[in-house]
Amino acid sequence: MLKDVPWECPANMTTDKIRQISSVPNISACKQFSDTVKTAYGPNGMNKIVINHIDKIFITNDAATIVKELDIEHPAAKIIVFASEMQEQEVGDGTNFVIIFAGGIVGQAEHLLKMGLTPVEVCEGFQLALDKTLELLPTLTCHEIKDIKNNAEQLVITQAVKSSIMSKQYGQEQFVTDLVLKACTSILPEKTTFNVDNVRVCKILGSNLYNSTVVNGMVFKRTNEGDITKQTDAKIAVYTCPIDITTTETKGTVLIKSAEELQNFSRGEEMVLEEQIKAIADAGVTVIVAGGKFGDMALHYLNKYKIMGVRLMSKFDLRRLCKSISATALPRLTPPNKEELGYADCVYVDELGDTSLVVFRLDGKDSRMSTIVVRGATDNYMDDIERAIDDGVNTFKGISRDGKLLPGAGAIEMELAYQVGLYADTLPGLEQYGAKRFAVALEGFVKILADNTGVKSNETLAELYSQHSKGNKNAGFNIEPKGSSLIDVTKVGIVDSYLSKFWGLQYATQAACTILKVDQIIMAKRAGGPKAPGGRAPDNDDDA
């Protein structure tokens, strides 16, 4: 993608001309990349079908997934990709915001460069506007959640998570929000910070989304080993080794001369294995979870001592299960002590549709992990639900770190655009042009929301400017087709995370300024000739 955009600067030009014009090809690449994800922004954003390098199909409007699966070749566009990836790591949401805003700033800079401003002057204006924006942001908050465990603030938390999920699953946002909040609040730690990895998603084909549930504990798409299918008040031993007769590390040859010797040989191995499993059963273990296979003889003794067996293929699943049930994974088939044993209120085998499940359920407050069981007709649909859940969980985490919330639906962008535009008029030098263009780039979000909804964006923008100039800071764009195109976002509960905007503005501006300060892209290609020892191509004078 984007490989057709030229990278070279025009030849036979003076240094000043090159500095003014050389950024234009890079700007074109960034604008093309930004335009790709613009139509996926907002609740009415369209989905994209992305086919990656192994022909896997993704149907989503999640910018993080689109960027991850696309093959971006242009180096300037890759800088925006790096900024969006940092936003994903820092906040977990707002990647589309970073890409669109960075593309918008770079696009506005193109006009200034053609007017004769240098990239340095443009970047200074952008930086001044960014500083002013970050100064204004804390003063524009509409809510602040000081205690995420306070029941009185649950409504505001619900509004924040719902606004995040609405941009991915418009129409099902209330149900998905209820799932996310139930999963998050059930594992909210008393002292430590909230960990998004503790909310797992298990996708099972069949039925519909409204049959999805939340399970305190973990759910695996596996079946049990042996005949025991349910254990209550289960004491669990976790092993990373196979549950089978141990084999020696060295090879040996056993010479057997009679049937009696053969029976004694096999009986000796069986006795050793039975002693091991009996010792484990005597330690109080009722469920064994292993990362390796269960042998036929081992299954016989597990059934004999009423022990349930579960095999997990992934070592990461083993680690998460150990964390969930407070167990220690043992490398050898030895009886565990009390500290190494895990506990679950119930371990049982279930079946949803035609999929077998093993459920480790923890009903008490000690549960460190919760699983959202998602139902749906297709894998692509459930993958998109999972991405919406991931955004909701990350929003919950952001609120637990910083509870400040900003008005959504484009209201915060319009207010910043209005105030930064006034601030730009006070700047004495050429930086004012960059600051004004920064404000114009902020307006772009409302225009995109209006365009994606099918409303005339210029009329909406004029109406919003009129409201914000009168001091109505919470006036935003109404995506509903009925009624006015403007709405007071605090009354309907459309809010954005403060951290998402705080980091998104910084990452996008830094990426745009980095691109604008590049005057030439130099591709270093390794020579195709023979290499000297140490991987160095031979020098023409000495080594050839």
Side-chain angles (χ1 to χ4, degrees):
M1 179 187 172
L2 305 176
K3 58 186 176 184
D4 297 330
V5 180
W7 298 353
E8 296 80 21
C9 296
N12 302 322
M13 283 198 173
T14 63
T15 305
D16 292 336
K17 292 250 181 175
I18 286 177
R19 284 176 181 168
Q20 291 178 15
I21 301 175
S22 62
S23 297
V24 173
N26 299 341
I27 290 171
S28 299
C30 297
K31 285 168 63 180
Q32 183 181 342
F33 175 46
S34 177
D35 290 342
T36 303
V37 296
K38 270 184 183 178
T39 53
Y41 185 72
N44 288 326
M46 301 295 287
N47 286 345
K48 312 281 185 191
I49 293 182
V50 182
I51 305 172
N52 68 2
H53 61 287
I54 58 173
D55 291 336
K56 185 177 180 182
I57 295 176
F58 297 84
I59 303 175
T60 181
N61 64 350
D62 181 42
T65 304
I66 295 170
V67 169
K68 182 180 177 182
E69 300 303 330
L70 281 179
D71 185 16
I72 309 295
E73 292 189 6
H74 199 286
K78 281 186 178 179
I79 294 173
I80 297 181
V81 173
F82 297 151
S84 68
E85 288 174 350
M86 273 309 305
Q87 173 79 356
E88 179 71 14
Q89 293 176 24
E90 184 72 37
V91 185
D93 194 11
T95 50
N96 209 349
F97 177 87
V98 172
I99 296 170
I100 292 173
F101 190 50
I105 295 177
V106 170
Q108 295 299 327
E110 184 177 10
H111 302 291
L112 300 178
L113 294 176
K114 289 179 178 178
M115 286 170 54
L117 272 71
T118 64
V120 173
E121 291 166 342
V122 175
C123 291
E124 285 179 358
F126 286 165
Q127 192 60 48
L128 287 171
L130 175 66
D131 294 341
K132 182 64 176 177
T133 302
L134 298 180
E135 179 187 327
L136 291 170
L137 265 185
T139 65
L140 300 176
T141 55
C142 57
H143 296 289
E144 184 170 2
I145 301 168
K146 296 182 179 178
D147 184 9
I148 201 168
K149 299 172 187 174
N150 188 351
N151 292 329
E153 295 183 332
Q154 288 302 309
L155 177 60
V156 181
I157 297 171
T158 303
Q159 290 174 350
V161 176
K162 183 178 175 182
S163 299
S164 174
I165 293 173
M166 188 186 293
S167 63
K168 297 287 187 300
Q169 290 296 324
Y170 186 46
Q172 287 95 18
E173 67 274 3
Q174 186 59 58
F175 181 76
V176 179
T177 300
D178 294 340
L179 290 177
V180 169
L181 289 177
K182 184 177 179 182
C184 292
T185 52
S186 65
I187 60 166
L188 193 61
E190 293 292 334
K191 298 179 182 178
T192 58
T193 57
F194 178 79
N195 186 1
V196 295
D197 195 48
N198 290 352
V199 178
R200 312 301 305 168
V201 176
C202 181
K203 296 170 289 188
I204 300 173
L205 274 172
S207 191
N208 59 38
L209 174 64
Y210 293 99
N211 285 331
S212 302
T213 56
V214 176
V215 176
N216 286 344
M218 297 201 72
V219 179
F220 300 99
K221 288 195 283 188
R222 305 284 303 169
T223 187
N224 65 313
E225 307 282 342
D227 297 336
I228 312 299
T229 58
K230 184 175 181 180
Q231 293 284 11
T232 55
D233 296 329
K235 293 183 179 179
I236 306 166
V238 182
Y239 296 96
T240 58
C241 61
I243 309 300
D244 201 357
I245 297 170
T246 55
T247 57
T248 57
E249 295 181 359
T250 57
K251 292 183 178 180
T253 303
V254 178
L255 186 61
I256 297 174
K257 298 180 179 179
S258 64
E260 185 180 355
E261 290 180 357
L262 178 60
Q263 286 182 339
N264 291 335
F265 178 77
S266 60
R267 189 179 298 119
E269 285 187 326
E270 293 168 9
M271 289 176 62
V272 170
L273 183 59
E274 183 177 9
E275 287 175 1
Q276 289 175 327
I277 292 179
K278 184 177 184 301
I280 292 171
D282 292 341
V285 175
T286 56
V287 178
I288 289 179
V289 180
K293 67 170 185 172
F294 283 74
D296 293 336
M297 189 58 64
L299 288 176
H300 167 71
Y301 290 121
L302 289 179
N303 294 334
K304 179 179 177 181
Y305 291 102
K306 306 297 182 186
I307 298 176
M308 182 178 177
V310 179
R311 182 185 179 187
L312 297 181
M313 304 293 289
S314 170
K315 63 180 180 181
F316 301 105
D317 283 343
L318 272 178
R319 292 174 186 170
R320 292 188 186 103
L321 179 63
C322 289
K323 185 178 180 181
S324 177
I325 62 176
S326 303
T328 302
L330 303 174
R332 296 178 61 189
L333 198 60
T334 54
N337 56 37
K338 291 182 179 180
E339 290 76 18
E340 294 167 339
L341 272 176
Y343 175 81
D345 291 297
C346 189
V347 181
Y348 60 94
V349 178
D350 199 358
E351 189 170 329
L352 283 178
D354 60 350
T355 305
S356 296
L357 305 174
V358 176
V359 180
F360 292 80
R361 199 181 75 232
L362 293 127
D363 298 325
K365 292 184 179 179
D366 295 332
S367 175
R368 301 183 182 181
M369 197 93 49
S370 62
T371 303
I372 301 176
V373 180
V374 176
R375 307 299 308 277
T378 64
D379 287 323
N380 287 319
Y381 177 71
M382 291 191 295
D383 288 342
D384 217 27
I385 295 293
E386 183 181 11
R387 296 181 194 107
I389 290 172
D390 183 62
D391 282 353
V393 172
N394 277 289
T395 301
F396 188 89
K397 177 192 174 184
I399 294 171
S400 68
R401 289 167 54 191
D402 189 328
K404 291 194 286 292
L405 298 173
L406 300 167
I412 184 66
E413 288 87 354
M414 280 304 304
E415 181 63 24
L416 289 173
Y418 173 69
Q419 297 205 29
V420 170
L422 296 177
Y423 168 71
D425 293 333
T426 65
L427 296 175
L430 293 174
E431 296 86 3
Q432 64 176 297
Y433 295 104
K436 273 191 171 296
R437 291 290 179 175
F438 189 94
V440 174
L442 283 168
E443 297 172 6
F445 290 99
V446 175
K447 296 183 73 173
I448 293 168
L449 285 173
D451 289 336
N452 290 348
T453 308
V455 178
K456 293 180 180 179
S457 56
N458 289 332
E459 292 181 6
T460 303
L461 201 62
E463 291 177 12
L464 277 172
Y465 254 122
S466 173
Q467 290 294 321
H468 283 266
S469 63
K470 295 174 183 177
N472 188 1
K473 299 179 180 180
N474 297 325
F477 174 66
N478 182 13
I479 63 170
E480 298 288 346
K482 300 177 182 178
S484 172
S485 61
L486 302 188
I487 194 171
D488 188 335
V489 294
T490 55
K491 292 182 179 179
V492 295
I494 303 175
V495 291
D496 280 337
S497 167
Y498 173 84
L499 287 178
S500 177
K501 301 298 181 187
F502 177 79
W503 290 111
L505 289 165
Q506 292 190 69
Y507 290 143
T509 307
Q510 290 170 11
C513 290
T514 303
I515 293 165
L516 292 174
K517 290 180 180 178
V518 172
D519 71 334
Q520 192 174 3
I521 297 175
I522 303 171
M523 299 296 291
K525 294 183 179 179
R526 191 180 297 276
K531 295 180 182 179
R536 181 172 60 88
D539 186 88
N540 291 333
D541 297 331
D542 302 328
D543 299 332

